[in-house]
Amino acid sequence: MKREPVSKLTFDSMGDFKFRAAYEAYSKAWDGLHRVEERQRLNNLISRLSKEEISYSHFYREVNQYLRDPGRQEFRRVRIHGERKRDYRRKEQRRSRQKRHKR
């Protein structure tokens, strides 16, 4: 029993911005998957969304599990330390002076 390859769905009416963004998420998830069952599930989700049987929040909740890469860490905020313009210029002058006379 050999399964047919699942093809990516396309839609004629892509005028709605929300649906176009959802289709982009679907497309990204589709490209990252290789198992037939997962691709069929994605096709089912996007077709149900186009028929307005499910909400966008439900669609994204289901698609996000395919978009997350287990090896990738999530973004963490980094504290940015600034300095005054005068202090920055003094440091740069010192660096350029040392670089000029270093040879």
Side-chain angles (χ1 to χ4, degrees):
M1 194 163 100
K2 189 175 182 181
R3 293 184 181 174
E4 293 182 19
V6 180
S7 60
K8 188 187 265 187
L9 297 178
T10 56
F11 297 94
D12 295 332
S13 61
M14 295 285 281
D16 185 20
F17 175 77
K18 286 170 48 174
F19 185 75
R20 194 176 329 154
Y23 186 80
E24 287 293 322
Y26 158 79
S27 181
K28 254 186 210 178
W30 174 272
D31 294 339
L33 295 176
H34 300 291
R35 295 181 58 204
V36 175
E37 298 85 19
E38 293 172 339
R39 285 185 167 187
Q40 286 175 342
R41 184 148 189 258
L42 281 175
N43 281 349
N44 184 21
L45 284 170
I46 194 72
S47 63
R48 287 176 60 198
L49 182 68
S50 69
K51 295 174 188 173
E52 296 180 359
E53 294 175 2
I54 60 174
S55 65
Y56 284 96
S57 61
H58 182 265
F59 171 79
Y60 281 114
R61 190 174 27 241
E62 296 295 323
V63 170
N64 277 340
Q65 68 185 2
Y66 299 114
L67 290 175
R68 290 192 184 129
D69 185 17
R72 194 176 92 192
Q73 294 180 352
E74 295 205 15
F75 175 74
R76 303 269 185 227
R77 290 192 182 256
V78 178
R79 180 167 224 122
I80 298 174
H81 298 283
E83 59 185 337
R84 294 185 301 185
K85 193 174 190 178
R86 182 178 57 186
D87 295 337
Y88 173 78
R89 285 184 177 164
R90 284 183 183 169
K91 284 182 185 178
E92 286 300 310
Q93 286 175 348
R94 187 179 315 126
R95 284 186 197 133
S96 66
R97 194 170 44 246
Q98 289 172 349
K99 186 177 179 182
R100 190 174 44 232
H101 295 290
K102 190 173 187 178
R103 294 189 193 194

